[in-house]
Amino acid sequence: MSRYSALGLLRGVFNGQSHWQPAWRDPEPKPNYDVIIIGGGGHGLATAYYLASVHGIRNVAVLEKGWIGGGNTGRNTTLVRSNYRLPQLHNFFEFGLKMWERLSDELNYNIMFSPRGALMLGHSDSDMVRLAERGDAMRVNDIDAELLSRDQVAKLEPLLDMSREARFPIEGGLIQRRGGTARHDAVAWGYARAADQLGVDIIQKCEVTGFLRQGDAVVGVETTRGAIGAGRVGICVAGHSGHVAAMAGLKLPVESQTLQALVTEGVKPMINGVIMSQSLHCYISQSDKGGIVMGGDPDNWPSYAQRGQPMVTEGAIAQAIALVPALSRLRMLRTWAGVTDMSFDGSPIIGTTPVPNLFLNGGWCYGGFKATPASGWTYAHTLATGTPHELNAPFDLDRFRRGDTIDENGVGPMPNHR
Amino acid sequence: MLLIPCPHCGPRAQTEFSYERTVDSVVQPGGDPTEAMEHLFTRANPRGPDEEIWRHTYGCRAWLIMTRHRATHAIEAMRAVGPEALP
């Protein structure tokens, strides 16, 4: 398969763009693979790519129930950042952020990573103390964070309501300038194309319906397209982690909830970076097409329906309009929802399970997209070697039993982190 | 949005209710620690019906147990908890 390049585009001018080939094959499942990854989202495809490219394991299948990138990879708000307070989290996400910065080149696929800056607003003295604490925690680990005054925030985002009468007065902010957005579908497609080129079979419309067992160990999967044997099996299904793991007899520290987002009609540039808030739960950015993308709280009750409810959307919109009053003039174009696997400390789970040969990557809550490269990298390492990479070692399934949770917000054992 | 049949007040909008947790996550006092850990930190989380504890917070404020399908949102049963619901 040819590399994408400017020369290729130029060639197309003379042949009526007739030289384009499908970006990945549509293979029939083989009877056996070294590794099967359940779930063809960004994380699963990235895992397959790094298994093939870093660990030389190319006899790999990615099984996807629907179409690749059709789950949460296509339903997020495309934000990329590593501004976490706890070292386990910011080390992991910073490793990922560095991968984002060179991902288009690595995959030979334009994922449109746009480091336009991720700004968290502070609305009170205590907000500013918490932002400073977070920024300090990042900076001692060499991650960029900059505490901003009120005036600096006003200069960055002129449409914010900076008045003293504002519903949520703005005292300042913390910015990670290397944060930003990426084109979510392109991430799935880029990884799929790159993995396919290395020999990975991407099998769509293939739902896993059970596990093949030999004694305790998993030795393959039952699917809607027949049984497939595997040396190792990795679950990578985000919101569906709970019932897929249940097929292997596991009960996970996860509750599936719906997370909604929305986009307005396209307008000229009005939001320069990504706007978030320390106290509110609302995030605002402008897509390259001009739509204002907004997200808010999860629905906070369990659901597998990929649709949300207006009262939560309304809450997110109300907060966004309070921060940027000009948004009230825009019309909503589209809302959508994804099923997120809310873990019990707000942090992901990547590692081994008590079932031999079965591995788990899940519990991403509503922060999975930004983790895609790091998740794939560390999960591939775990699947290839049978032991976790140092970056995902803290995120093992057993940490809840040990009382060693990674609780960024300190809210305890409930899947309602915000 | 759901229309939730409160056993005390009749059908009401979901905005009046809050979700608390699943029935299988209630920790029994004096129970086995391993079991308590399981109740605290794991959920069956089925892609089908499950029993959930809800509260009619902005209505009669009573605790309720809802049996609801997680994918279709169909409410299969709704029962009161509290002294009046005891046998």
Side-chain angles (χ1 to χ4, degrees):
Chain A
M1 210 171 291
S2 63
R3 279 180 65 80
Y4 293 156
S5 65
L7 207 63
L9 277 176
L10 201 63
R11 218 176 103 208
V13 174
F14 300 104
N15 65 16
Q17 304 293 346
S18 62
H19 66 295
W20 298 106
Q21 298 293 314
W24 53 85
R25 296 164 295 130
D26 183 20
E28 281 301 312
K30 289 192 266 183
N32 265 291
Y33 289 95
D34 293 340
V35 178
I36 283 181
I37 295 159
I38 308 172
H43 290 223
L45 294 163
T47 306
Y49 170 70
Y50 293 117
L51 272 172
S53 67
V54 178
H55 301 280
I57 301 173
R58 298 184 175 203
N59 186 22
V60 174
V62 178
L63 308 183
E64 167 55 47
K65 173 177 75 168
W67 60 93
I68 59 166
N72 292 355
T73 301
R75 292 166 192 270
N76 53 73
T77 50
T78 78
L79 307 185
V80 174
R81 58 188 175 88
S82 65
N83 55 355
Y84 286 82
R85 180 176 59 92
L86 295 176
Q88 298 96 321
L89 287 165
H90 63 224
N91 288 339
F92 181 89
F93 285 107
E94 175 63 14
F95 182 82
L97 184 52
K98 290 196 173 114
M99 294 173 82
W100 280 107
E101 287 165 350
R102 47 171 205 269
L103 199 56
S104 289
D105 279 344
E106 158 128 28
L107 299 179
N108 178 229
Y109 203 98
N110 187 4
I111 56 136
M112 298 168 75
F113 177 57
S114 162
R116 54 184 74 176
L119 170 67
M120 293 202 94
L121 300 173
H123 304 286
S124 61
D125 284 351
S126 62
D127 267 9
M128 292 312 295
V129 169
R130 288 187 67 190
L131 288 177
E133 183 199 1
R134 183 196 290 242
D136 286 349
M138 292 162 64
R139 288 178 69 125
V140 295
N141 276 324
D142 279 339
I143 301 170
D144 76 304
E146 200 179 318
L147 203 61
L148 301 181
S149 69
R150 211 170 159 267
D151 292 342
Q152 287 172 301
V153 169
K155 210 167 165 189
L156 272 179
E157 298 288 357
L159 289 181
L160 283 171
D161 184 355
M162 299 301 293
S163 69
R164 287 296 179 194
E165 293 72 42
R167 171 69 183 83
F168 304 108
I170 294 164
E171 299 295 333
L174 181 75
I175 191 167
Q176 180 173 38
R177 294 193 192 272
R178 289 161 54 240
T181 62
R183 170 89 174 94
H184 51 357
D185 294 326
V187 176
W189 299 335
Y191 271 121
R193 176 169 166 273
D196 179 89
Q197 281 179 4
L198 294 174
V200 171
D201 281 357
I202 296 164
I203 302 163
Q204 304 184 77
K205 295 181 209 157
C206 180
E207 182 175 356
V208 170
T209 54
F211 290 98
L212 301 173
R213 306 288 282 263
Q214 208 169 70
D216 274 350
V218 163
V219 293
V221 290
E222 291 280 2
T223 75
T224 48
R225 292 171 71 170
I228 310 174
R232 284 176 175 161
V233 176
I235 300 174
C236 199
V237 294
H240 296 279
S241 299
H243 66 92
V244 171
M247 292 188 236
L250 293 174
K251 199 174 172 195
L252 298 184
V254 154
E255 186 168 285
S256 295
Q257 298 184 359
T258 303
L259 180 70
Q260 299 178 74
L262 63 130
V263 65
T264 69
E265 59 189 322
V267 288
K268 286 186 177 179
M270 63 180 283
I271 305 287
N272 296 322
V274 177
I275 302 174
M276 296 167 292
S277 159
Q278 171 69 39
S279 285
L280 309 176
H281 200 240
C282 152
Y283 25 97
I284 312 166
S285 64
Q286 188 161 18
S287 79
D288 292 328
K289 282 194 287 187
I292 308 295
V293 184
M294 284 174 261
D297 275 323
D299 287 8
N300 269 338
W301 51 290
S303 170
Y304 280 99
Q306 284 176 319
R307 58 182 186 276
Q309 51 181 353
M311 62 195 215
V312 176
T313 317
E314 193 180 8
I317 296 170
Q319 292 183 358
I321 290 175
L323 293 174
V324 184
L327 291 178
S328 69
R329 305 283 299 276
L330 299 183
R331 284 168 295 189
M332 187 164 78
L333 190 67
R334 196 165 69 242
T335 68
W336 64 92
V339 184
T340 57
D341 40 345
M342 304 297 289
S343 69
F344 282 55
D345 58 358
S347 298
I349 302 158
I350 318 170
T352 56
T353 69
V355 179
N357 302 342
L358 184 67
F359 296 76
L360 174 70
N361 180 337
W364 287 100
C365 301
Y366 39 81
F369 177 70
K370 67 173 105 56
T372 306
S375 165
W377 180 277
T378 55
Y379 199 31
H381 180 100
T382 311
L383 278 163
T385 64
T387 49
H389 188 272
E390 60 175 359
L391 284 168
N392 68 312
F395 300 105
D396 67 333
L397 183 58
D398 191 50
R399 69 178 184 268
F400 300 94
R401 189 190 57 78
R402 295 195 311 270
D404 194 10
T405 55
I406 303 162
D407 194 346
E408 173 87 355
N409 296 323
V411 292
M414 289 299 284
N416 297 341
H417 289 252
R418 46 198 294 174
Chain B
M1 201 172 352
L2 305 178
L3 187 64
I4 298 177
C6 174
H8 307 290
C9 316
R12 295 293 186 95
Q14 189 188 349
T15 43
E16 295 183 11
F17 294 81
S18 44
Y19 165 73
E20 173 60 26
R21 56 171 65 207
T22 56
V23 170
D24 74 348
S25 63
V26 176
V27 180
Q28 299 300 331
D32 171 55
T34 319
E35 230 170 72
M37 281 302 293
E38 190 176 313
H39 288 309
L40 263 181
F41 283 112
T42 63
R43 297 286 189 272
N45 198 27
R47 197 174 184 277
D50 201 3
E51 288 204 310
E52 302 165 350
I53 304 170
W54 287 66
R55 192 178 184 210
H56 196 179
T57 316
Y58 305 103
C60 65
R61 300 167 74 182
W63 293 100
L64 308 162
I65 292 179
M66 183 194 289
T67 311
R68 185 175 61 87
H69 195 287
R70 292 276 172 83
T72 65
H73 292 173
I75 297 172
E76 291 163 18
M78 195 81 201
R79 61 192 163 91
V81 286
E84 75 286 355
L86 294 174

